[in-house]
């Protein structure tokens, strides 16, 4: 088995303890990802030590700002190979998570992981956020929407905020470009009913990797016209 002490120590720093079973689950997930990555493009990062920091620790870094040990309903928009959603589910089993993506093949991989690890209260969902954001079963249904490496914040706000309940949060995992993106998103957030709670800027990997968790609260309902049809949010950002 690989060495997870870096992740265990990181989480301990936030009062989160991880069992041997959870570590085994993360390791099985890692092995399945590497195996599947030979035939399906899941991740460019494959070295274990890199995956541990850039995928696993980065995914759980939201513990800096939020108590994740609650029964929150969470959607991960553009989850890809399951980041951050799958890692959050393994570490915080009380979460009820929807892993959402427009690429069916990646979701098939995640379904296999869910089956193999026997995870409960987690499902995959296929679609475009622009369309799913209008479905009654998904619109304004989640306590928390997370998203990493999907679109710039101006566009992403339109894809993500419609899923969030009024009073819920949208947390965007960004890099050192986050503040710039936030500055361009003021109008989008206003229109969509979002309000900045804070930017949490920090570093991972011996201070090399700048991260910015942008935390937005949904203050009021999104107007019915949003999200606009697939492609429009990126072509004509708000
Ligand atoms: N979040 C993962 C991560 O950080 O490793 C994956 C990032 S990957 C670069 C972007 C993912 O977002 C892809 O799997 C893509 O299919 C999905 N995606 C992009 N636009 C989307 C949309 N409008 N609706 C749903 N999924 C979308």
């Amino acid at each position: 088995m690989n060495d997870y002490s870096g992740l265990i120590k990181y989480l301990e720093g936030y009062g989160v303890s991880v069992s041997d079973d959870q570590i085994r689950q993360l390791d099985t997930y890692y092995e399945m990802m590497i195996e599947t990555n030979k035939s399906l493009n899941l991740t460019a990062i494959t070295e274990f030590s890199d995956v541990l920091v850039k995928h696993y620790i980065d995914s759980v870094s939201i513990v800096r700002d939020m108590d994740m040990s609650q029964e929150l309903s969470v959607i991960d928009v553009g989850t890809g190979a399951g980041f951050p959603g799958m890692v959050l589910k393994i570490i915080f089993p009380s979460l009820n998570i929807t892993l959402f993506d427009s690429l069916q093949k990646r979701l098939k991989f995640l379904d296999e992981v869910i089956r193999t690890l026997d995870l409960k209260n987690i499902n995959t969902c296929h679609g475009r956020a622009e369309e799913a954001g209008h479905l009654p079963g998904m619109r304004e249904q989640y306590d928390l929407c997370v998203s990493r490496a999907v679109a710039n914040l101006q566009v992403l706000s339109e894809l993500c905020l419609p899923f969030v309940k009024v009073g819920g949060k949208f947390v965007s995992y960004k890099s050192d470009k986050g503040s710039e993106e936030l500055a361009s998103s003021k109008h989008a957030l206003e229109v969509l009913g979002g309000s900045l709670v804070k930017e949490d800027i920090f570093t991972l990997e011996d201070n090399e990797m700048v991260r910015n968790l942008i935390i937005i609260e949904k203050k009021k309902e999104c107007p019915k016209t949003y999200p606009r049809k697939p492609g429009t949010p990126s072509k004509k950002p708000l």
Side-chain angles (χ1 to χ4, degrees), residues 132-214:
H134 287 285
L135 300 176
M138 296 183 80
R139 187 176 177 88
E140 296 181 331
Q141 295 298 310
Y142 298 90
D143 300 310
L144 172 65
C145 174
V146 290
S147 189
R148 188 184 81 160
V150 173
N152 75 54
L153 189 66
Q154 209 176 340
V155 175
L156 195 65
S157 300
E158 185 170 350
L159 303 183
C160 289
L161 274 169
F163 290 117
V164 181
K165 288 177 188 170
V166 173
K169 301 256 168 44
F170 159 41
V171 177
S172 174
Y173 286 61
K174 289 290 178 187
S175 65
D176 54 352
K177 303 277 186 304
S179 300
E180 229 172 90
E181 291 186 26
L182 181 62
S184 316
S185 305
K186 289 221 156 64
H187 177 67
L189 293 180
E190 214 168 281
V191 169
L192 297 161
S195 166
L196 178 70
V197 176
K198 73 165 172 176
E199 276 185 273
D200 182 15
I201 301 171
F202 56 99
T203 55
L204 287 177
E205 209 174 38
D206 293 336
N207 299 333
E208 291 279 299
M209 207 174 131
V210 177
R211 307 298 296 146
N212 188 351
L213 289 174
I214 300 180

Side-chain angles (χ1 to χ4, degrees), residues 55-75:
H55 284 330
Y56 286 6
I57 295 182
D58 189 45
S59 290
V60 298
S61 63
I62 192 170
V63 288
R64 295 168 55 86
D65 302 291
M66 287 189 70
D67 174 11
M68 298 301 285
S69 311
Q70 311 174 60
E71 288 181 21
L72 299 174
S73 57
V74 182
I75 184 165

